[in-house]
Amino acid sequence: MSLSPSPRRPSRGPRRRSLFASAAGAAGAALLVGCTGGPGSGESGGEPSDAERARARAARDSAELAARYAAVIAAHPGLAERLGPLRDGVVRHVEAFGGVRASSPSASGTASASAASASVSARAAGPGGDSGDSGDSGDSGVVPADEKGALALLAGAERTLADRRARALLDVPGELARLLASVAAAGAAHVFLLTEG
């Protein structure tokens, strides 16, 4: 009797082990940064420190991503049950970085959904920034008419932001690096849920 492995169905995306391994790698990188503040962690008079600027940018990026989720939910109400918890997580990320909590799309009605949609349309490819990394260059920022395209838009924005946060780990002090690593891992999990869920 031969012990051959059972046939497996081909995987369509990242395997759960790879997702957890990348999250663990991001968390490990945060631990390597250390717990002491770097040169940008001290107070420098009236100017914000590098860490404060990084924290503000992370809050702003998460707020923009939450607005993108709100726009997709407004355009595709059938996705609200699936995307609501992910958007709520992104809103909690805004708060963790010191940003202001945005109202939920269901509580604020169509006026804020229209404003969020206009806000999202004004940004070309999702959470952008001063680093020149503006996401997918072919994206107009408008929510696609089909649900699959809308989910791909969110997955792309989450992936771009998670990658940028993972790269920023080495440039910020320990506590902020750990927070960035945690939120980047959550973003990677969101990508998985958006593409495989």
Side-chain angles (χ1 to χ4, degrees), residues 61-77 79-91 93-94 103-106 112-113 116-117 119-120 123 126-127 141 143 150-159 161 186-195:
D61 287 346
S62 290
E64 290 173 2
L65 185 59
R68 182 169 290 258
Y69 270 97
V72 170
I73 290 170
H76 300 285
L79 293 174
E81 186 175 331
R82 179 177 178 183
L83 298 180
L86 300 178
R87 182 191 180 278
D88 292 345
V90 172
V91 169
H93 298 160
V94 173
S103 61
S104 74
S106 59
S112 76
S117 181
S119 171
V120 169
R123 286 183 299 280
V143 176
L151 292 173
L153 176 84
L154 287 173
E158 285 272 17
R159 183 178 296 112
L161 189 52
H190 286 187
V191 170
F192 178 79
L193 292 171
L194 289 166
T195 56

Side-chain angles (χ1 to χ4, degrees), residues 24-147:
L31 292 174
L32 290 176
V33 171
C35 296
T36 60
S41 65
E43 298 294 321
S44 60
E47 278 189 38
S49 69
D50 291 342
E52 290 168 339
R53 283 192 297 275
R55 185 179 290 272
R57 178 176 178 188
R60 186 176 60 247
D61 287 346
S62 290
E64 290 173 2
L65 185 59
R68 182 169 290 258
Y69 270 97
V72 170
I73 290 170
H76 300 285
L79 293 174
E81 186 175 331
R82 179 177 178 183
L83 298 180
L86 300 178
R87 182 191 180 278
D88 292 345
V90 172
V91 169
R92 284 191 297 275
H93 298 160
V94 173
E95 294 170 348
F97 287 119
V100 178
R101 181 182 184 102
S103 61
S104 74
S106 59
S108 57
T110 58
S112 76
S114 300
S117 181
S119 171
V120 169
S121 297
R123 286 183 299 280
D130 352 13
S131 70
D133 182 9
S134 63
D136 302 324
S137 57
D139 184 5
S140 67
V142 177
V143 176
D146 65 314
E147 289 184 355

